[in-house]
Protein backbone atom coordinates (compact mmCIF):
# COMPACT_ATOMS: atom_id res chain seq x y z
CA UNK A 1 0.00 0.00 0.00
CA UNK A 2 1.31 3.42 -0.94
CA UNK A 3 1.66 5.92 1.89
CA UNK A 4 1.25 8.99 -0.34
CA UNK A 5 -1.68 11.13 -1.41
CA UNK A 6 -2.24 12.95 -4.66
CA UNK A 7 -2.23 16.75 -4.59
CA UNK A 8 -3.60 18.92 -7.39
CA UNK A 9 -2.00 22.35 -7.90
CA UNK A 10 -4.55 25.07 -8.51
CA UNK A 11 -2.15 27.31 -10.43
CA UNK A 12 -0.56 24.98 -13.00
CA UNK A 13 -3.14 22.17 -12.74
CA UNK A 14 -0.50 19.47 -12.34
CA UNK A 15 -0.72 16.54 -9.96
CA UNK A 16 2.00 15.36 -7.62
CA UNK A 17 2.25 13.11 -4.59
CA UNK A 18 3.39 13.63 -1.01
CA UNK A 19 3.46 11.42 2.06
CA UNK A 20 0.21 11.27 4.01
CA UNK A 21 2.06 11.63 7.31
CA UNK A 22 3.27 15.07 6.20
CA UNK A 23 0.03 16.43 4.75
CA UNK A 24 -1.59 17.83 7.88
CA UNK A 25 -2.99 21.22 8.86
CA UNK A 26 -0.10 23.68 9.14
CA UNK A 27 2.03 21.95 6.48
CA UNK A 28 3.14 23.76 3.33
CA UNK A 29 4.56 22.27 0.15
CA UNK A 30 6.02 23.75 -3.00
CA UNK A 31 4.57 22.53 -6.29
CA UNK A 32 7.37 20.81 -8.23
CA UNK A 33 6.12 22.22 -11.54
CA UNK A 34 5.34 25.89 -10.96
CA UNK A 35 7.03 26.35 -7.56
CA UNK A 36 3.99 27.98 -5.93
CA UNK A 37 3.65 27.32 -2.17
CA UNK A 38 0.54 25.35 -1.20
CA UNK A 39 -0.58 25.81 2.40
CA UNK A 40 -2.58 22.98 3.92
CA UNK A 41 -5.08 24.56 6.30
CA UNK A 42 -8.51 23.23 7.20
CA UNK A 43 -9.98 26.71 6.74
CA UNK A 44 -8.70 26.94 3.15
CA UNK A 45 -11.28 27.67 0.46
CA UNK A 46 -9.29 25.63 -2.10
CA UNK A 47 -11.14 22.36 -2.74
CA UNK A 48 -7.89 20.68 -3.84
CA UNK A 49 -6.34 21.36 -0.42
CA UNK A 50 -9.45 20.09 1.35
CA UNK A 51 -9.44 16.91 -0.74
CA UNK A 52 -5.76 16.26 -0.06
CA UNK A 53 -6.20 16.80 3.70
CA UNK A 54 -9.17 14.45 3.82
CA UNK A 55 -7.39 11.77 1.79
CA UNK A 56 -4.30 12.05 3.99
CA UNK A 57 -6.37 11.76 7.17
CA UNK A 58 -8.11 8.63 5.87
CA UNK A 59 -4.85 7.07 4.71
CA UNK A 60 -3.14 7.75 8.04
CA UNK A 61 -6.03 6.03 9.83
CA UNK A 62 -5.77 2.98 7.54
CA UNK A 63 -1.99 2.82 8.00
CA UNK A 64 -2.32 3.01 11.80
CA UNK A 65 -4.89 0.21 11.80
CA UNK A 66 -2.79 -1.99 9.52
CA UNK A 67 0.29 -1.49 11.70
CA UNK A 68 -1.68 -2.38 14.80
CA UNK A 69 -0.47 0.81 16.44
CA UNK A 70 -3.54 1.26 18.58
CA UNK A 71 -2.20 1.53 22.09
CA UNK A 72 -3.65 -0.97 24.51
CA UNK A 73 -4.18 0.39 27.98
CA UNK A 74 -2.60 -1.71 30.70
CA UNK A 75 -4.85 -2.49 33.65
CA UNK A 76 -4.05 -0.52 36.76
CA UNK A 77 -2.04 -2.39 39.35
CA UNK A 78 -3.63 -2.34 42.77
CA UNK A 79 -1.48 -3.09 45.80
CA UNK A 80 -3.16 -4.38 48.90
CA UNK A 81 -1.27 -2.88 51.86
CA UNK A 82 -3.81 -3.81 54.53
CA UNK A 83 -1.94 -6.96 55.60
Amino acid sequence: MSDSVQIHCKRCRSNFRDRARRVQPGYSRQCPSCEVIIFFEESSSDKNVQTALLAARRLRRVLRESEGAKPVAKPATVYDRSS
Side-chain angles (χ1 to χ4, degrees):
M1 171 180 273
S2 175
D3 67 340
S4 63
V5 294
Q6 187 170 347
I7 301 166
H8 183 79
C9 179
K10 187 176 183 178
R11 181 175 176 209
C12 68
R13 299 180 184 204
S14 68
N15 293 319
F16 60 96
R17 300 188 78 77
D18 201 353
R19 292 183 182 268
R21 296 189 195 278
R22 292 182 186 167
V23 180
Q24 297 183 26
Y27 177 68
S28 60
R29 172 80 155 92
Q30 190 172 13
C31 174
S33 299
C34 67
E35 299 180 353
V36 70
I37 304 288
I38 301 171
F39 295 97
F40 295 93
E41 293 293 333
E42 290 182 349
S43 60
S44 174
S45 61
D46 186 0
K47 295 294 182 187
N48 299 322
V49 170
Q50 295 292 327
T51 303
L53 283 170
L54 184 61
R57 187 178 307 130
R58 288 178 179 163
L59 185 55
R60 283 193 306 270
R61 183 181 308 134
V62 168
L63 290 172
R64 269 195 312 266
E65 289 173 357
S66 68
E67 291 172 353
K70 284 195 172 182
V72 177
K74 294 182 180 179
T77 306
V78 177
Y79 296 102
D80 185 17
R81 296 185 180 210
S82 62
S83 46

